Structures are given as C-alpha cells and as structure tokens.
Amino acid sequence: MTATRPRAASFDHDRLKSAIAKANIPTLLPVLYQLTGDEQWLQARYRPTRTRGMEEHSDGGLPSHVRDEIRAATVKAVLAWADGRPPAVPAPNSDVLVELMTLSMGEPVPGEYEPMVAENMDIRPAPRRHVAETGSAPFVVVIGAGVSGLTASKYLKDAGIDHVVLEQSARIGGTWRENRYPGCGVDTPSYLYSFNWFRRNWTRHFGRREEVERYLEDLARHYNLLPSIRLGVKAIKASWHETARRWVVRVREADGTEQEIAANCVITAVGQLNVPKVPDIPGMDEFEGPLFHSAEWPDSLDLHGRSLAVIGTGASAMQIVPAVVDEVASLTIYQRSPQWIASNANYFQSVSSDVHWLMEHIPYYYEWYRFRLSWVFNDRIHASLQKDPTWPHPEYSLNAVNDSHRAYFTRYLVDQLEGREDLIAQALPTYPPFGKRMLLDNGWFKALLRPHVELVTRPAAGLTPHGVRDADGFVRPADAVVMATGFDAHRPIHVEIIGRSNKSLKEIWGDDEAEAYLGITTPGFPNLFFMYGPNTNLGHGGSFIFLAERQIRYIVDALCTMTEQGIETIECRPEVNERYNRALDEAHSRMVWTHQGMDTWYRNSKGRVVTNMPWRILDYWKITRTANLADFHVEWVIPSTESVGR
C-alpha cells in the first residue's frame, strides 16, 4: 500500500473538495484514519451501516451532517499530506487492519482475512519468485491468450521463465474477443475485474466487452508480452515424451502448415467457457433465417423490425434481451428455468470523473474501494450457501440467511413486475438463491414488461422454416434465432493431450468427469498445469482475475523451485489428487449446487459438480500460496538420451 504524493502543480484544492463530495463514505473512513491516526474516526458515530445486497452504499447509511464532517476532515487530511505530512498509519498492523476492514463494511470481517487483504493491498506483498541465475530454467508453452494466458505470460516473464503463448485467433482476448453479442460485458465490477498492478480509469462500473478487450490489449503492450505470443497458431496435440522428459506440442499455422514445439512444461489456459454448447433441436437445418449461438453473433446482423427468438435465460440472454429489445419488432424468450436476479443501481452507470480523480490522487482510496467490492462480491455470502439439515423448507432455501435472501430477491422481482401476476409466476425461481449464478438486473424485468416481448416457459422443441415450435406444438414466428445456451464446460480442455503410458486426458476424464488437484494438475501428466481447470469456477461470485493470479503464482512457484533444486519433472501423486477431490465432493454435498430441485450446468451427467469451486476465495488463496513438492512425484535432471528440438 503506497501513498504517492501528486505533484504540487497538478494538485487542485478546489478539485479535491468537489471530488470528495462525491466519494464513497465507507471508503473514506479508513483512508481518513490512515492519514491522521485519529481514533475518533473509529467511534460508533461514524460507523457505516451494513451494505445490503450488491449495492455500492455510497452514503454509508449515515446522516448528512456526519457525512459532511467526514468529508471536511478528509479534505483537511489530504491537504496536510500533500503539503508533506506523512500518513500516520501507512501500514496498519493486523489488529488495526481488521478494525478498518470492519469499519469500512459496517459489519464484522473475520480476522482470518487479514493476511490476504494485507497482501492484496501491498501492505505485506507476497514475495515474487525468480528462476535462479545458475539454474536451467524451463521452457513453457502456454495455450491460449485470454485472461489466463496473458496473466501466465506476465508472471512467467517476471520470473525470468522463457515461454511462448499459442493463440489460435488473430487477436488476443479470449472470451472478450469471441463473445461479441449486444450488451456483452462483465457482471463483476470493473474495478474488481482487473489487476491491481495495471489500473484503468474505467468508463463504466460494469465494463462492456469492448473496454475489457482494450484493457487486455493495453496490458499486453504495456508489459511487452506480444513478442511471446504467436497469433493464428492452433495447438492440436500435446504429447509427453517419456525418455526425453519433454512435451511436444503439435501446432497448426494459419496457412495450414504444421510443426512441433518441444517444451519442459505446458500450461493450458483455454478456460471452461470457450466451446459453445449447441442443443440438437429438430428442424435446425430447415430454418431459413440466421441461426447462431450467442458466442458467434454475426457482425452484420440487422434486427431492426424483425422477430427474434432467444433460446435460454442465462447470463448471455439476460444481456442480449435488454440490448436489442428496442430494435426488434417482436421478441420471444424460451425459458428452461428462471434465474435469481439482484439489483445494482450502478449497472448502467458511468464512472464519474470525480471517482477517477479520487483513485488517482487520494492515498489509499483505490485500495479500500477495491476491498469493499471484493468483500461484497466474493466470500460474503459463502456461509449462506451451506445446507442446514434441520431447515424445514429445503425445497425453497438452505438455511435462515439463505431464506432471507430469497425474501429480499423475491420482493425485488415482485416490485419490478408489479401488476403482472403471470410474469411473476413465470419468472420466480423455485430453487434456493445462488443455486445458479446470481445475475444482475440490467433491464431484464423492464424488457419482460414490453408489449412485444413474450416469455415462454415451455422449451423450444423444434424449428420450422420461419419459426420456433414449443413443447406443446405451438409455433411462434421468428426471423432470427439466437441460442444463448452456454458452453461445453464439462470438458475444459479441448486439445488432445497424451500423458504417461500413452494415455489421453480425454480417456481418463471421459466426457464430463474432469478433476484435478487444486484444479491445476492431475496424475499421469508431468509438468502439465491447468488455469481455469476443473472445479475452479466461482459459483458464489467474485473476480476470476484474482483466481487466475493465484493459479499462475502457484505454477511459477513450482517452476522456480524445480529450477533451484535441479528437478526436471513433477507429477501430482494419485493419493493427493484423490484426497483433494474427495474433500471437494464432500464440501459440495453440503452446498447449494447439489440441491436436487434444479438443473444446472455446474453438474455432470452423474450429478457431480465438476465446474465450481466449493471453497471460499480465502481458502483457495491459502492452499495455492506455495507449491508443496511433497504432493508430487519428483524426477531430477539427468542427461538427455533423446534430442527433441523446439
């Protein structure tokens, strides 16, 4: 946590006052304490109320005269700091940091979170590993240049590890390059869905796809990652060579030519959500209009005055419908199951220049603003997702807190659809809140109320040349059909990978039984690592960017230790993998995603949760801090008897 003073010429006192007037009060309070050390600001008079739901809670629930007092004191403290007075508490100790966390949130934040928060705020930064100067550093192939692949490249470069990133497309960006449908964007706040070491003045509180894609492109340029990325190169197959102790990755260039790349290690960074899941609906070959998956939205599609059918009501559909509702003549939505939806007043809001100014000029404001977002959107609700075996209504909720969530979200739904009892009955879920990913209301309910929009609760059973037939045989006209039906997430690796004993990853995992230790590594595949692998999806909320950083830090730690100790291969022990996944399954058995009253893509054909992580963000942070080589079979460097060139 640093406090860099602005240059005097650029520090405008009037600008300070106007920006502070728009500041988030619960964020200002710990800032004020760090600058002054005055314990007055820890008193009950200034403590914000608890943030409800996923709102920003800018006024902290405090009376206007108390807010004015906090603002005036902050202006005075910042001016003193800018004139040379050092912060009174630049690096709060553990007890003080916990108190400030609780102060900012208006509710107890457990002390066990303090080490992670201190690291994230750079109060006690995590040590960065670097390959030993005398060691033989490995060469690494990274597959994919989306969020995970770019994160991997940045950390590998910082660690001095030679690598190449293979990206089958002509541009970087992964899902943010591929998904170009109207309304596409993040449902995690922009200031959380970003790296704290590469900051951005976000234009919106919830960034649109284009801005996220630009952010990733700017990151790659800023850190000079592009020379390590080969665009238009598709990884076809990766094979482990036992004698040489090397991976050989066969790739196909954009012109169709193929070649092989040898590597000590391979990191698959292709993610879970990259292969569209297209349902087999009778009559698809007969439909005469545009028919496509949401991830393959045609650039030239003109929907003006046309009838559109949307199959699905998940996250993609919820973004598409409000974005096109004013353009189409009619809109029919085919719902398999309703979704729980939370309100957020900032969803459509632009980030003001005042907020940008505060982030750039006020010491500690960015860190505390980001902390508040992380608490609201990460682990805060995790405890409420546990099943209470004594709860009398398990069909509707899991426990008392989860039931209060149900009441809260139900009230919001009823308020938004007031007067439309038919829509309320159709849109109200019967399963517990958070049983599927909680979605944010981006105008969905308002769109449902439009006279030219129809919500159909019977599945799409077939297509005709000019329409969609539901399960009752009724045909509704459609000039275009978009399938917002998600992705093939049960097989997260769509590259042929051959490990020891010539066994393929698909052979071991089957079609939907993927599992890996920490979601990062699996027995039988030495020096192979996954990012966004099995059971690393954040079902309870949060930013995947944080998880990607945890995974690559773990991988880099392993690679640096291998180099230092002269280790050539590490392979996860079967008993370690089995023990981890048994604990994972047991944890899931007590959680909402194994609730039998719903259907979700989180589970495979046998009902096992194969995508989501049952742990808290904090738990995963703890278990991925270092790579314990006792979890692996280890082979030391020996003279190579087989030559395989890059």
Side-chain angles (χ1 to χ4, degrees), residues 124-157:
R124 293 191 297 278
R128 294 296 179 94
R129 299 294 306 272
H130 195 279
V131 291
E133 295 292 336
T134 57
S136 178
F139 177 71
V140 179
V141 167
V142 181
I143 303 175
V147 169
S148 293
L150 294 175
T151 308
S153 184
K154 167 67 166 57
Y155 277 80
L156 290 169
K157 181 181 179 183

PDB file of all heavy atoms in Angstrom, residues 124-157:
ATOM      1  N   ARG A 124       1.692  -6.005   2.976  1.00  0.00           N
ATOM      2  CA  ARG A 124       2.711  -7.046   3.093  1.00  0.00           C
ATOM      3  C   ARG A 124       2.679  -7.855   1.801  1.00  0.00           C
ATOM      4  O   ARG A 124       2.056  -8.928   1.729  1.00  0.00           O
ATOM      5  CB  ARG A 124       2.444  -7.939   4.313  1.00  0.00           C
ATOM      6  CG  ARG A 124       2.617  -7.230   5.636  1.00  0.00           C
ATOM      7  CD  ARG A 124       2.608  -8.209   6.823  1.00  0.00           C
ATOM      8  NE  ARG A 124       1.334  -8.911   6.949  1.00  0.00           N
ATOM      9  CZ  ARG A 124       0.257  -8.392   7.552  1.00  0.00           C
ATOM     10  NH1 ARG A 124       0.308  -7.167   8.045  1.00  0.00           N
ATOM     11  NH2 ARG A 124      -0.858  -9.083   7.638  1.00  0.00           N
ATOM     12  N   PRO A 125       3.323  -7.343   0.754  1.00  0.00           N
ATOM     13  CA  PRO A 125       3.252  -8.010  -0.558  1.00  0.00           C
ATOM     14  C   PRO A 125       3.831  -9.414  -0.514  1.00  0.00           C
ATOM     15  O   PRO A 125       4.748  -9.708   0.260  1.00  0.00           O
ATOM     16  CB  PRO A 125       4.098  -7.095  -1.461  1.00  0.00           C
ATOM     17  CG  PRO A 125       4.214  -5.795  -0.729  1.00  0.00           C
ATOM     18  CD  PRO A 125       4.157  -6.137   0.728  1.00  0.00           C
ATOM     19  N   ALA A 126       3.268 -10.265  -1.354  1.00  0.00           N
ATOM     20  CA  ALA A 126       3.793 -11.626  -1.473  1.00  0.00           C
ATOM     21  C   ALA A 126       5.155 -11.578  -2.144  1.00  0.00           C
ATOM     22  O   ALA A 126       5.381 -10.791  -3.069  1.00  0.00           O
ATOM     23  CB  ALA A 126       2.841 -12.488  -2.292  1.00  0.00           C
ATOM     24  N   PRO A 127       6.102 -12.385  -1.688  1.00  0.00           N
ATOM     25  CA  PRO A 127       7.410 -12.426  -2.356  1.00  0.00           C
ATOM     26  C   PRO A 127       7.262 -12.933  -3.781  1.00  0.00           C
ATOM     27  O   PRO A 127       6.482 -13.846  -4.047  1.00  0.00           O
ATOM     28  CB  PRO A 127       8.226 -13.390  -1.488  1.00  0.00           C
ATOM     29  CG  PRO A 127       7.198 -14.223  -0.773  1.00  0.00           C
ATOM     30  CD  PRO A 127       6.013 -13.333  -0.560  1.00  0.00           C
ATOM     31  N   ARG A 128       7.979 -12.316  -4.687  1.00  0.00           N
ATOM     32  CA  ARG A 128       7.939 -12.737  -6.084  1.00  0.00           C
ATOM     33  C   ARG A 128       9.111 -13.673  -6.364  1.00  0.00           C
ATOM     34  O   ARG A 128      10.252 -13.363  -6.056  1.00  0.00           O
ATOM     35  CB  ARG A 128       7.991 -11.517  -7.012  1.00  0.00           C
ATOM     36  CG  ARG A 128       6.756 -10.613  -6.908  1.00  0.00           C
ATOM     37  CD  ARG A 128       5.512 -11.353  -7.355  1.00  0.00           C
ATOM     38  NE  ARG A 128       4.317 -10.534  -7.248  1.00  0.00           N
ATOM     39  CZ  ARG A 128       3.807  -9.818  -8.242  1.00  0.00           C
ATOM     40  NH1 ARG A 128       4.415  -9.801  -9.415  1.00  0.00           N
ATOM     41  NH2 ARG A 128       2.706  -9.116  -8.075  1.00  0.00           N
ATOM     42  N   ARG A 129       8.806 -14.810  -6.955  1.00  0.00           N
ATOM     43  CA  ARG A 129       9.836 -15.787  -7.283  1.00  0.00           C
ATOM     44  C   ARG A 129      10.497 -15.446  -8.610  1.00  0.00           C
ATOM     45  O   ARG A 129       9.894 -14.847  -9.499  1.00  0.00           O
ATOM     46  CB  ARG A 129       9.228 -17.192  -7.370  1.00  0.00           C
ATOM     47  CG  ARG A 129       8.578 -17.716  -6.108  1.00  0.00           C
ATOM     48  CD  ARG A 129       9.579 -17.942  -4.989  1.00  0.00           C
ATOM     49  NE  ARG A 129      10.697 -18.799  -5.368  1.00  0.00           N
ATOM     50  CZ  ARG A 129      10.687 -20.140  -5.274  1.00  0.00           C
ATOM     51  NH1 ARG A 129       9.603 -20.763  -4.822  1.00  0.00           N
ATOM     52  NH2 ARG A 129      11.739 -20.855  -5.626  1.00  0.00           N
ATOM     53  N   HIS A 130      11.758 -15.844  -8.727  1.00  0.00           N
ATOM     54  CA  HIS A 130      12.510 -15.669  -9.967  1.00  0.00           C
ATOM     55  C   HIS A 130      13.432 -16.861 -10.103  1.00  0.00           C
ATOM     56  O   HIS A 130      13.993 -17.335  -9.115  1.00  0.00           O
ATOM     57  CB  HIS A 130      13.310 -14.363  -9.936  1.00  0.00           C
ATOM     58  CG  HIS A 130      13.813 -13.931 -11.279  1.00  0.00           C
ATOM     59  ND1 HIS A 130      14.944 -14.456 -11.857  1.00  0.00           N
ATOM     60  CD2 HIS A 130      13.315 -13.031 -12.163  1.00  0.00           C
ATOM     61  CE1 HIS A 130      15.122 -13.887 -13.041  1.00  0.00           C
ATOM     62  NE2 HIS A 130      14.157 -13.019 -13.253  1.00  0.00           N
ATOM     63  N   VAL A 131      13.572 -17.354 -11.328  1.00  0.00           N
ATOM     64  CA  VAL A 131      14.420 -18.529 -11.522  1.00  0.00           C
ATOM     65  C   VAL A 131      15.851 -18.204 -11.127  1.00  0.00           C
ATOM     66  O   VAL A 131      16.343 -17.091 -11.355  1.00  0.00           O
ATOM     67  CB  VAL A 131      14.369 -19.027 -12.979  1.00  0.00           C
ATOM     68  CG1 VAL A 131      13.010 -19.616 -13.301  1.00  0.00           C
ATOM     69  CG2 VAL A 131      14.723 -17.919 -13.953  1.00  0.00           C
ATOM     70  N   ALA A 132      16.523 -19.182 -10.502  1.00  0.00           N
ATOM     71  CA  ALA A 132      17.895 -18.989 -10.053  1.00  0.00           C
ATOM     72  C   ALA A 132      18.813 -18.736 -11.246  1.00  0.00           C
ATOM     73  O   ALA A 132      18.648 -19.327 -12.322  1.00  0.00           O
ATOM     74  CB  ALA A 132      18.355 -20.222  -9.272  1.00  0.00           C
ATOM     75  N   GLU A 133      19.775 -17.851 -11.048  1.00  0.00           N
ATOM     76  CA  GLU A 133      20.684 -17.491 -12.134  1.00  0.00           C
ATOM     77  C   GLU A 133      21.462 -18.701 -12.644  1.00  0.00           C
ATOM     78  O   GLU A 133      21.757 -18.812 -13.824  1.00  0.00           O
ATOM     79  CB  GLU A 133      21.657 -16.412 -11.643  1.00  0.00           C
ATOM     80  CG  GLU A 133      20.996 -15.086 -11.289  1.00  0.00           C
ATOM     81  CD  GLU A 133      20.429 -14.369 -12.510  1.00  0.00           C
ATOM     82  OE1 GLU A 133      20.921 -14.639 -13.630  1.00  0.00           O
ATOM     83  OE2 GLU A 133      19.507 -13.550 -12.339  1.00  0.00           O
ATOM     84  N   THR A 134      21.780 -19.603 -11.729  1.00  0.00           N
ATOM     85  CA  THR A 134      22.604 -20.752 -12.125  1.00  0.00           C
ATOM     86  C   THR A 134      21.777 -21.945 -12.587  1.00  0.00           C
ATOM     87  O   THR A 134      22.327 -22.932 -13.056  1.00  0.00           O
ATOM     88  CB  THR A 134      23.477 -21.196 -10.938  1.00  0.00           C
ATOM     89  OG1 THR A 134      22.616 -21.502  -9.824  1.00  0.00           O
ATOM     90  CG2 THR A 134      24.434 -20.077 -10.528  1.00  0.00           C
ATOM     91  N   GLY A 135      20.476 -21.854 -12.433  1.00  0.00           N
ATOM     92  CA  GLY A 135      19.624 -22.976 -12.787  1.00  0.00           C
ATOM     93  C   GLY A 135      19.338 -23.040 -14.274  1.00  0.00           C
ATOM     94  O   GLY A 135      19.547 -22.084 -15.022  1.00  0.00           O
ATOM     95  N   SER A 136      18.856 -24.187 -14.708  1.00  0.00           N
ATOM     96  CA  SER A 136      18.444 -24.366 -16.094  1.00  0.00           C
ATOM     97  C   SER A 136      16.939 -24.139 -16.154  1.00  0.00           C
ATOM     98  O   SER A 136      16.146 -25.035 -15.865  1.00  0.00           O
ATOM     99  CB  SER A 136      18.794 -25.777 -16.579  1.00  0.00           C
ATOM    100  OG  SER A 136      18.360 -25.960 -17.908  1.00  0.00           O
ATOM    101  N   ALA A 137      16.536 -22.911 -16.486  1.00  0.00           N
ATOM    102  CA  ALA A 137      15.125 -22.535 -16.458  1.00  0.00           C
ATOM    103  C   ALA A 137      14.350 -23.310 -17.518  1.00  0.00           C
ATOM    104  O   ALA A 137      14.844 -23.540 -18.625  1.00  0.00           O
ATOM    105  CB  ALA A 137      14.975 -21.042 -16.684  1.00  0.00           C
ATOM    106  N   PRO A 138      13.135 -23.698 -17.214  1.00  0.00           N
ATOM    107  CA  PRO A 138      12.334 -24.455 -18.181  1.00  0.00           C
ATOM    108  C   PRO A 138      11.803 -23.568 -19.298  1.00  0.00           C
ATOM    109  O   PRO A 138      11.692 -22.347 -19.143  1.00  0.00           O
ATOM    110  CB  PRO A 138      11.186 -24.997 -17.322  1.00  0.00           C
ATOM    111  CG  PRO A 138      11.026 -23.975 -16.237  1.00  0.00           C
ATOM    112  CD  PRO A 138      12.420 -23.490 -15.935  1.00  0.00           C
ATOM    113  N   PHE A 139      11.484 -24.198 -20.410  1.00  0.00           N
ATOM    114  CA  PHE A 139      10.772 -23.521 -21.484  1.00  0.00           C
ATOM    115  C   PHE A 139       9.326 -23.980 -21.410  1.00  0.00           C
ATOM    116  O   PHE A 139       9.046 -25.179 -21.333  1.00  0.00           O
ATOM    117  CB  PHE A 139      11.377 -23.865 -22.842  1.00  0.00           C
ATOM    118  CG  PHE A 139      10.627 -23.252 -23.997  1.00  0.00           C
ATOM    119  CD1 PHE A 139      10.679 -21.884 -24.222  1.00  0.00           C
ATOM    120  CD2 PHE A 139       9.855 -24.030 -24.834  1.00  0.00           C
ATOM    121  CE1 PHE A 139       9.985 -21.310 -25.276  1.00  0.00           C
ATOM    122  CE2 PHE A 139       9.152 -23.470 -25.890  1.00  0.00           C
ATOM    123  CZ  PHE A 139       9.223 -22.098 -26.105  1.00  0.00           C
ATOM    124  N   VAL A 140       8.409 -23.030 -21.431  1.00  0.00           N
ATOM    125  CA  VAL A 140       6.996 -23.308 -21.185  1.00  0.00           C
ATOM    126  C   VAL A 140       6.163 -22.923 -22.403  1.00  0.00           C
ATOM    127  O   VAL A 140       6.354 -21.844 -22.975  1.00  0.00           O
ATOM    128  CB  VAL A 140       6.492 -22.531 -19.946  1.00  0.00           C
ATOM    129  CG1 VAL A 140       5.016 -22.808 -19.703  1.00  0.00           C
ATOM    130  CG2 VAL A 140       7.318 -22.892 -18.715  1.00  0.00           C
ATOM    131  N   VAL A 141       5.238 -23.793 -22.778  1.00  0.00           N
ATOM    132  CA  VAL A 141       4.227 -23.477 -23.787  1.00  0.00           C
ATOM    133  C   VAL A 141       2.915 -23.181 -23.061  1.00  0.00           C
ATOM    134  O   VAL A 141       2.448 -23.999 -22.254  1.00  0.00           O
ATOM    135  CB  VAL A 141       4.031 -24.636 -24.786  1.00  0.00           C
ATOM    136  CG1 VAL A 141       2.758 -24.419 -25.613  1.00  0.00           C
ATOM    137  CG2 VAL A 141       5.233 -24.739 -25.715  1.00  0.00           C
ATOM    138  N   VAL A 142       2.341 -22.020 -23.332  1.00  0.00           N
ATOM    139  CA  VAL A 142       1.040 -21.635 -22.794  1.00  0.00           C
ATOM    140  C   VAL A 142       0.040 -21.678 -23.937  1.00  0.00           C
ATOM    141  O   VAL A 142       0.284 -21.100 -25.002  1.00  0.00           O
ATOM    142  CB  VAL A 142       1.074 -20.217 -22.184  1.00  0.00           C
ATOM    143  CG1 VAL A 142      -0.293 -19.839 -21.617  1.00  0.00           C
ATOM    144  CG2 VAL A 142       2.145 -20.123 -21.109  1.00  0.00           C
ATOM    145  N   ILE A 143      -1.074 -22.356 -23.732  1.00  0.00           N
ATOM    146  CA  ILE A 143      -2.088 -22.471 -24.782  1.00  0.00           C
ATOM    147  C   ILE A 143      -3.245 -21.530 -24.457  1.00  0.00           C
ATOM    148  O   ILE A 143      -3.966 -21.728 -23.474  1.00  0.00           O
ATOM    149  CB  ILE A 143      -2.596 -23.915 -24.906  1.00  0.00           C
ATOM    150  CG1 ILE A 143      -1.430 -24.871 -25.186  1.00  0.00           C
ATOM    151  CG2 ILE A 143      -3.646 -24.026 -26.013  1.00  0.00           C
ATOM    152  CD1 ILE A 143      -1.817 -26.335 -25.198  1.00  0.00           C
ATOM    153  N   GLY A 144      -3.415 -20.502 -25.267  1.00  0.00           N
ATOM    154  CA  GLY A 144      -4.497 -19.546 -25.093  1.00  0.00           C
ATOM    155  C   GLY A 144      -3.999 -18.188 -24.633  1.00  0.00           C
ATOM    156  O   GLY A 144      -3.159 -18.093 -23.737  1.00  0.00           O
ATOM    157  N   ALA A 145      -4.522 -17.121 -25.240  1.00  0.00           N
ATOM    158  CA  ALA A 145      -4.122 -15.760 -24.897  1.00  0.00           C
ATOM    159  C   ALA A 145      -5.321 -14.935 -24.455  1.00  0.00           C
ATOM    160  O   ALA A 145      -5.499 -13.790 -24.854  1.00  0.00           O
ATOM    161  CB  ALA A 145      -3.422 -15.081 -26.075  1.00  0.00           C
ATOM    162  N   GLY A 146      -6.156 -15.555 -23.609  1.00  0.00           N
ATOM    163  CA  GLY A 146      -7.221 -14.809 -22.961  1.00  0.00           C
ATOM    164  C   GLY A 146      -6.722 -14.296 -21.624  1.00  0.00           C
ATOM    165  O   GLY A 146      -5.525 -14.087 -21.420  1.00  0.00           O
ATOM    166  N   VAL A 147      -7.641 -14.102 -20.680  1.00  0.00           N
ATOM    167  CA  VAL A 147      -7.253 -13.588 -19.368  1.00  0.00           C
ATOM    168  C   VAL A 147      -6.203 -14.490 -18.724  1.00  0.00           C
ATOM    169  O   VAL A 147      -5.167 -14.016 -18.239  1.00  0.00           O
ATOM    170  CB  VAL A 147      -8.485 -13.460 -18.450  1.00  0.00           C
ATOM    171  CG1 VAL A 147      -8.061 -13.185 -17.021  1.00  0.00           C
ATOM    172  CG2 VAL A 147      -9.410 -12.347 -18.947  1.00  0.00           C
ATOM    173  N   SER A 148      -6.437 -15.799 -18.708  1.00  0.00           N
ATOM    174  CA  SER A 148      -5.499 -16.712 -18.056  1.00  0.00           C
ATOM    175  C   SER A 148      -4.147 -16.725 -18.761  1.00  0.00           C
ATOM    176  O   SER A 148      -3.096 -16.679 -18.110  1.00  0.00           O
ATOM    177  CB  SER A 148      -6.082 -18.127 -18.025  1.00  0.00           C
ATOM    178  OG  SER A 148      -7.211 -18.197 -17.188  1.00  0.00           O
ATOM    179  N   GLY A 149      -4.157 -16.811 -20.076  1.00  0.00           N
ATOM    180  CA  GLY A 149      -2.907 -16.876 -20.819  1.00  0.00           C
ATOM    181  C   GLY A 149      -2.071 -15.620 -20.675  1.00  0.00           C
ATOM    182  O   GLY A 149      -0.841 -15.686 -20.542  1.00  0.00           O
ATOM    183  N   LEU A 150      -2.713 -14.461 -20.691  1.00  0.00           N
ATOM    184  CA  LEU A 150      -1.982 -13.209 -20.528  1.00  0.00           C
ATOM    185  C   LEU A 150      -1.436 -13.074 -19.110  1.00  0.00           C
ATOM    186  O   LEU A 150      -0.320 -12.587 -18.899  1.00  0.00           O
ATOM    187  CB  LEU A 150      -2.880 -12.023 -20.865  1.00  0.00           C
ATOM    188  CG  LEU A 150      -3.324 -11.928 -22.327  1.00  0.00           C
ATOM    189  CD1 LEU A 150      -4.316 -10.785 -22.507  1.00  0.00           C
ATOM    190  CD2 LEU A 150      -2.131 -11.738 -23.256  1.00  0.00           C
ATOM    191  N   THR A 151      -2.230 -13.512 -18.127  1.00  0.00           N
ATOM    192  CA  THR A 151      -1.751 -13.495 -16.750  1.00  0.00           C
ATOM    193  C   THR A 151      -0.547 -14.407 -16.605  1.00  0.00           C
ATOM    194  O   THR A 151       0.455 -14.052 -15.963  1.00  0.00           O
ATOM    195  CB  THR A 151      -2.866 -13.948 -15.784  1.00  0.00           C
ATOM    196  OG1 THR A 151      -4.046 -13.181 -16.023  1.00  0.00           O
ATOM    197  CG2 THR A 151      -2.441 -13.771 -14.339  1.00  0.00           C
ATOM    198  N   ALA A 152      -0.619 -15.583 -17.225  1.00  0.00           N
ATOM    199  CA  ALA A 152       0.504 -16.515 -17.184  1.00  0.00           C
ATOM    200  C   ALA A 152       1.742 -15.897 -17.809  1.00  0.00           C
ATOM    201  O   ALA A 152       2.848 -15.966 -17.254  1.00  0.00           O
ATOM    202  CB  ALA A 152       0.131 -17.812 -17.901  1.00  0.00           C
ATOM    203  N   SER A 153       1.588 -15.273 -18.965  1.00  0.00           N
ATOM    204  CA  SER A 153       2.727 -14.680 -19.656  1.00  0.00           C
ATOM    205  C   SER A 153       3.386 -13.595 -18.811  1.00  0.00           C
ATOM    206  O   SER A 153       4.618 -13.520 -18.716  1.00  0.00           O
ATOM    207  CB  SER A 153       2.279 -14.110 -20.998  1.00  0.00           C
ATOM    208  OG  SER A 153       3.379 -13.599 -21.730  1.00  0.00           O
ATOM    209  N   LYS A 154       2.567 -12.750 -18.180  1.00  0.00           N
ATOM    210  CA  LYS A 154       3.107 -11.670 -17.330  1.00  0.00           C
ATOM    211  C   LYS A 154       3.916 -12.247 -16.171  1.00  0.00           C
ATOM    212  O   LYS A 154       5.049 -11.813 -15.895  1.00  0.00           O
ATOM    213  CB  LYS A 154       1.946 -10.826 -16.802  1.00  0.00           C
ATOM    214  CG  LYS A 154       2.291  -9.872 -15.661  1.00  0.00           C
ATOM    215  CD  LYS A 154       3.220  -8.766 -16.080  1.00  0.00           C
ATOM    216  CE  LYS A 154       3.286  -7.638 -15.046  1.00  0.00           C
ATOM    217  NZ  LYS A 154       3.690  -8.039 -13.699  1.00  0.00           N
ATOM    218  N   TYR A 155       3.395 -13.238 -15.484  1.00  0.00           N
ATOM    219  CA  TYR A 155       4.089 -13.787 -14.324  1.00  0.00           C
ATOM    220  C   TYR A 155       5.305 -14.617 -14.731  1.00  0.00           C
ATOM    221  O   TYR A 155       6.329 -14.609 -14.038  1.00  0.00           O
ATOM    222  CB  TYR A 155       3.125 -14.612 -13.470  1.00  0.00           C
ATOM    223  CG  TYR A 155       2.313 -13.771 -12.517  1.00  0.00           C
ATOM    224  CD1 TYR A 155       1.187 -13.074 -12.944  1.00  0.00           C
ATOM    225  CD2 TYR A 155       2.670 -13.656 -11.177  1.00  0.00           C
ATOM    226  CE1 TYR A 155       0.445 -12.292 -12.076  1.00  0.00           C
ATOM    227  CE2 TYR A 155       1.934 -12.882 -10.298  1.00  0.00           C
ATOM    228  CZ  TYR A 155       0.822 -12.201 -10.750  1.00  0.00           C
ATOM    229  OH  TYR A 155       0.089 -11.423  -9.884  1.00  0.00           O
ATOM    230  N   LEU A 156       5.202 -15.345 -15.831  1.00  0.00           N
ATOM    231  CA  LEU A 156       6.360 -16.095 -16.312  1.00  0.00           C
ATOM    232  C   LEU A 156       7.488 -15.150 -16.715  1.00  0.00           C
ATOM    233  O   LEU A 156       8.660 -15.393 -16.402  1.00  0.00           O
ATOM    234  CB  LEU A 156       5.961 -16.974 -17.499  1.00  0.00           C
ATOM    235  CG  LEU A 156       5.054 -18.168 -17.193  1.00  0.00           C
ATOM    236  CD1 LEU A 156       4.530 -18.782 -18.480  1.00  0.00           C
ATOM    237  CD2 LEU A 156       5.776 -19.226 -16.358  1.00  0.00           C
ATOM    238  N   LYS A 157       7.150 -14.081 -17.372  1.00  0.00           N
ATOM    239  CA  LYS A 157       8.164 -13.107 -17.772  1.00  0.00           C
ATOM    240  C   LYS A 157       8.826 -12.486 -16.558  1.00  0.00           C
ATOM    241  O   LYS A 157      10.058 -12.356 -16.499  1.00  0.00           O
ATOM    242  CB  LYS A 157       7.524 -12.023 -18.644  1.00  0.00           C
ATOM    243  CG  LYS A 157       8.515 -10.976 -19.132  1.00  0.00           C
ATOM    244  CD  LYS A 157       7.844  -9.906 -19.974  1.00  0.00           C
ATOM    245  CE  LYS A 157       8.880  -8.876 -20.415  1.00  0.00           C
ATOM    246  NZ  LYS A 157       8.256  -7.771 -21.195  1.00  0.00           N
TER     247      LYS A 157
END
